[in-house]
Amino acid sequence: MIYFYARTPASSSLSLSKTVIYTHVEVNDGQGYSSTNGRFTVSVPGLYAFTVQYCLNSGDQALLEIVDQKKTLQRAAFGDRGNNDPCVSMHVFTKDDVSDQMWVQTSWTAQSVI
């Protein structure tokens, strides 16, 4: 079975046009996820499901994408104008071959200055 679960500490921030790197890897069966570059590399061809959740600090905004081989599969824009600490979730299914890569990236971000 190929399965990974990774998360990032609440204190991390997003940078514009960068891969989101989930640094705390809880499970990495199949060793497909790299916490160094934030990419999942397929080792067994098949149908894959990816779920992403990201929460922002109050006043922040972002546009995140789930990317497969440089093709955007899912995009979500979200933000907060109050003190709500919003979260967004995305879910995709994709059929991939050996060595294909998937990752989450920012397309736009605006973080508040405190």
Side-chain angles (χ1 to χ4, degrees):
M1 177 187 336
I2 307 296
Y3 166 76
F4 78 95
Y5 170 71
R7 61 184 177 84
T8 300
S11 62
S12 68
S13 62
L14 297 174
S15 298
L16 181 60
S17 299
K18 299 289 183 187
T19 299
V20 177
I21 298 175
Y22 297 94
T23 55
H24 288 70
V25 180
E26 304 288 332
V27 178
N28 198 7
D29 287 350
Q31 304 302 307
Y33 180 73
S34 168
S35 60
T36 303
N37 66 14
R39 293 183 179 214
F40 173 80
T41 303
V42 173
S43 60
V44 177
L47 181 65
Y48 286 83
F50 290 87
T51 301
V52 173
Q53 180 178 16
Y54 206 95
C55 299
L56 291 174
N57 295 319
S58 289
D60 291 350
Q61 301 174 41
L63 174 63
L64 294 179
E65 300 175 333
I66 299 176
V67 179
D68 184 354
Q69 295 299 105
K70 300 184 181 180
K71 177 183 175 189
T72 299
L73 299 180
Q74 178 86 22
R75 181 178 288 143
F78 62 115
D80 178 53
R81 293 187 179 166
N83 294 318
N84 300 319
D85 297 328
C87 296
V88 66
S89 295
M90 299 182 286
H91 189 79
V92 299
F93 290 95
T94 182
K95 186 176 179 182
D96 283 302
D97 293 318
V98 173
S99 299
D100 285 354
Q101 292 188 329
M102 293 194 64
W103 62 93
V104 176
Q105 71 183 23
T106 58
S107 293
W108 180 84
T109 181
Q111 295 185 320
S112 59
V113 178
I114 298 175

